[in-house]
Every structure is written in C-alpha cells, then in structure tokens.
Amino acid sequence: MEDLLTVPVALAVMASPLAYSAAQVWVLIRFPGWWRLLGALPILPMAFVLDYTVDSYRLGGNLWPLVLIFSAPAALLWLGIVWVLMRLLRRS
C-alpha cells in the first residue's frame, strides 16, 4: 500500500515550488484588501529560500533544491489556509 502512495506524494512535493509560484501570483491578483496582504506574507521567507537555492546552485552544491522543495509546501499550505478563511468569513 505504501508503494502506491510513494510516487504521487514525491511528485506532489517536487512540483510544489511551481504550484506555490502559480498560487502566489493568483493570490496577488485575485485577493482583495487585507486578504492580499495575508497572502503576501510568504513572499519574504520564500525570497530568502530562493536566494539560498540559487547561491547553492552557483557554488555547485548537489543538494541545492532541497530547501526550496521542502519549504514550498509550507508556503502553499499558508496560501490555502488564507483562501479557506477568506471564503468562510466572507460568507458570514
């Protein structure tokens, strides 16, 4: 059973930097007011992560994408939480 989940989970984790980038652009374009500000919070830490990733690549490190791959799901989760809260609180 765990073999059935290994590949999809690994692909989802590796695709998370691209998914985060697309979601961040979508949030900045579509969210109104304070929700946009809350959605923009991951930009600063992810900018540091991207800087570290690029520096590691330039220095020839063999593990250069790991920090980006492991931090992008957390940033994507934050955007998802903000989206859900926005949807729930705007309905009430």
Side-chain angles (χ1 to χ4, degrees):
M1 180 65 176
E2 64 189 44
D3 291 336
L4 293 174
L5 292 177
T6 302
V7 172
V9 169
L11 288 175
V13 168
M14 286 189 280
S16 65
L18 183 60
Y20 162 72
S21 300
Q24 187 65 70
V25 169
W26 180 74
V27 163
L28 292 174
I29 292 171
R30 299 288 306 238
F31 281 23
W34 288 100
W35 294 109
R36 182 177 298 151
L37 183 62
L38 283 174
L41 285 177
I43 291 174
L44 185 60
M46 290 304 288
F48 285 114
V49 168
L50 185 60
D51 180 55
Y52 176 80
T53 302
V54 170
D55 285 345
S56 295
Y57 176 74
R58 286 183 184 161
L59 293 173
N62 61 342
L63 300 175
W64 61 270
L66 283 184
V67 176
L68 181 63
I69 289 171
F70 289 141
S71 60
L76 192 56
L77 178 64
W78 174 259
L79 295 178
I81 290 170
V82 171
W83 178 74
V84 167
L85 287 174
M86 182 183 74
R87 298 283 297 204
L88 289 174
L89 294 176
R90 288 180 78 191
R91 286 187 183 171
S92 24

